């Protein structure tokens, strides 16, 4: 039994969470079209008869502008340093520039093996993927002060193209001889966290662009019974104006968020779910560490 940790990093919306879910075959990380959806390093565990591979889905690489942004950057940096291998995800549907190149090159200065994944090939097509492959060619050879990229693999998280190939190559990087998690575990996060993330995912998918970055979830009551789960959770935002948007006319929006979240939690637990949502305002919580801790971001 071999084991190890694989950190998955990249710019916001490159498809890191989708790749994590595809590699494990489980929906561990929430996925939305909104940037900065992932806020924590989330470990997704794949255990087979031959190995245990722990994928660490990380927040998107960004220049921090809030205390929350700094927290997210620390999560990514720590996960990258502690990994047995690093997967850098590139959005193949977007232009590849010098900053992308420099971001990859900077990660080659450590001894951690680096794989580059060009994602969204189903959207990009050969015309967009080939120039990226050509631009990355110099990084496939060692140079002064850095190592070479181990491999560059174009993939599609939608169709599954080359996912098995990537997984097999990453399995070759596993060196530890211990099972870090019990067989059957698919994440290291507690159920309260997972439920909170499902609620946040549904809120991100339904709310306007100006609201999602300031939305957080705290799960209060969580009663897991034989055939049902009872949950109370707060949807936290930063402004009274945002609160009105989240609630919606006559409570229409919060009802839609609750409905979609309840279905998601039912799929996860296989039980009837009773979910109550409350909307609360915490002014500028992303810059206040006490509020951030209450929402689970920090010690």
């Amino acid at each position: 039994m071999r084991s190890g940790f694989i950190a998955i990093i990249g710019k916001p919306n490159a498809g890191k969470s989708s790749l994590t879910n595809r590699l494990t075959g489980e929906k561990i990380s929430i996925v939305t079209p909104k940037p900065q959806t992932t806020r924590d390093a989330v470990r997704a565990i794949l255990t087979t008869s031959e190995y245990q591979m722990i994928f660490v889905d990380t927040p998107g690489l960004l220049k921090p502008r809030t205390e929350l942004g700094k927290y997210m950057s620390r999560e990514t940096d720590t996960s990258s340093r502690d990994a047995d291998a690093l997967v850098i995800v590139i959005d193949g549907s977007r232009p590849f520039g010098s900053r992308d190149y420099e971001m990859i090159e900077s990660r080659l200065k450590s001894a951690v093996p680096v794989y580059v994944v060009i994602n969204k090939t189903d959207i990009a097509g050969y015309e967009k993927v080939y120039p990226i492959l050509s631009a990355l060619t110099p990084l496939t050879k060692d140079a002064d002060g850095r190592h070479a990229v181990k491999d560059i693999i174009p993939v599609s998280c939608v169709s599954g193209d080359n996912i098995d190939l990537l997984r097999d190559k990453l399995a070759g990087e596993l060196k530890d001889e211990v099972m870090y998690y019990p067989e059957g575990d698919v994440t290291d996060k507690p159920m309260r966290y997972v439920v909170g993330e499902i609620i946040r995912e549904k809120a991100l998918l339904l709310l306007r662009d100006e609201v999602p970055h300031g939305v957080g979830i705290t799960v209060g009551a969580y009663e897991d019974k034989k055939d049902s789960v009872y949950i109370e959770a707060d949807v936290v935002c930063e402004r009274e104006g945002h609160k009105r948007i989240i609630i919606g006319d006559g409570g229409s929006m919060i009802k839609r968020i609750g409905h979609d979240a309840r279905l998601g939690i039912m799929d996860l637990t296989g039980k009837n779910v009773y979910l109550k949502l409350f909307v609360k305002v915490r002014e500028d919580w992303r810059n206040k560490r006490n509020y951030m801790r209450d929402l689970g971001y920090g010690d």
Side-chain angles (χ1 to χ4, degrees), residues 31-162:
V31 178
T32 81
K34 307 291 175 66
Q36 302 176 35
T37 295
T38 301
R39 291 174 175 169
D40 299 278
V42 179
R43 290 177 177 84
I45 305 160
L46 174 63
T47 304
T48 72
S49 60
E50 298 178 350
Y51 58 75
Q52 184 175 82
M53 194 160 8
I54 301 102
F55 299 98
V56 188
D57 184 19
T58 63
L61 296 171
L62 46 77
K63 184 177 181 180
R65 291 184 171 85
T66 64
E67 286 299 319
L68 177 62
K70 293 176 184 177
Y71 167 83
M72 292 161 62
S73 292
R74 288 194 298 272
E75 288 281 280
T76 300
D77 290 342
T78 301
S79 299
S80 301
R81 288 195 303 269
D82 296 341
D84 296 288
L86 190 63
V87 174
I88 302 177
V89 184
I90 300 296
D91 184 344
S93 67
R94 296 179 182 175
F96 184 84
S98 58
R99 289 185 179 180
D100 298 291
Y101 187 95
E102 291 165 4
M103 180 264 291
I104 297 170
E105 188 174 37
S106 68
R107 301 287 173 168
L108 297 174
K109 295 178 182 179
S110 75
V112 178
V114 173
Y115 291 78
V116 176
V117 167
I118 304 174
N119 191 25
K120 305 183 184 180
T121 56
D122 54 302
I123 300 174
Y126 177 82
E127 294 78 10
K128 292 183 178 180
V129 172
Y130 180 76
I132 299 175
L133 289 169
S134 298
L136 290 172
T137 299
L139 296 180
T140 60
K141 298 179 181 180
D142 289 333
D144 290 339
R146 68 161 177 80
H147 301 281
V149 169
K150 289 289 292 283
D151 210 340
I152 303 169
I153 304 176
V155 308
S156 168
C157 292
V158 175
S159 67
D161 287 352
N162 284 338

Side-chain angles (χ1 to χ4, degrees), residues 85-280:
L86 190 63
V87 174
I88 302 177
V89 184
I90 300 296
D91 184 344
S93 67
R94 296 179 182 175
F96 184 84
S98 58
R99 289 185 179 180
D100 298 291
Y101 187 95
E102 291 165 4
M103 180 264 291
I104 297 170
E105 188 174 37
S106 68
R107 301 287 173 168
L108 297 174
K109 295 178 182 179
S110 75
V112 178
V114 173
Y115 291 78
V116 176
V117 167
I118 304 174
N119 191 25
K120 305 183 184 180
T121 56
D122 54 302
I123 300 174
Y126 177 82
E127 294 78 10
K128 292 183 178 180
V129 172
Y130 180 76
I132 299 175
L133 289 169
S134 298
L136 290 172
T137 299
L139 296 180
T140 60
K141 298 179 181 180
D142 289 333
D144 290 339
R146 68 161 177 80
H147 301 281
V149 169
K150 289 289 292 283
D151 210 340
I152 303 169
I153 304 176
V155 308
S156 168
C157 292
V158 175
S159 67
D161 287 352
N162 284 338
I163 296 295
D164 291 343
L165 172 65
L166 173 62
R167 190 189 298 110
D168 289 344
K169 287 182 176 292
L170 293 174
E173 301 293 346
L174 306 179
K175 302 295 190 295
D176 299 342
E177 296 180 352
V178 60
M179 282 187 65
Y180 286 98
Y181 298 97
E183 188 174 355
D185 282 11
V186 294
T187 182
D188 66 328
K189 296 293 186 182
M191 186 58 71
R192 282 176 179 269
Y193 175 91
V194 176
V195 164
E197 285 291 273
I198 291 173
I199 297 169
R200 189 166 66 90
E201 177 186 54
K202 306 312 177 186
L204 294 183
L205 291 170
L206 290 169
L207 292 170
R208 300 178 187 175
D209 289 341
E210 69 269 24
V211 177
H213 295 311
V215 169
I217 307 294
T218 57
V219 176
Y222 185 89
E223 299 177 13
D224 191 352
K225 301 178 181 179
K226 182 179 180 180
D227 299 316
S228 64
V229 183
Y230 176 83
I231 303 163
E232 290 184 5
D234 294 336
V235 180
V236 179
C237 59
E238 293 183 300
R239 302 176 187 173
E240 286 293 338
H242 290 171
K243 179 178 179 179
R244 289 192 292 271
I245 293 171
I246 294 169
I247 293 174
D249 294 336
S252 58
M253 178 56 71
I254 196 65
K255 287 178 183 176
R256 290 179 64 191
I257 295 171
H259 173 270
D260 291 358
R262 189 174 63 83
L263 293 179
I265 299 168
M266 286 176 63
D267 286 342
L268 175 69
T269 63
K271 299 179 180 181
N272 293 321
V273 173
Y274 301 92
L275 175 63
K276 285 188 177 182
L277 297 180
F278 306 90
V279 184
K280 295 185 178 180

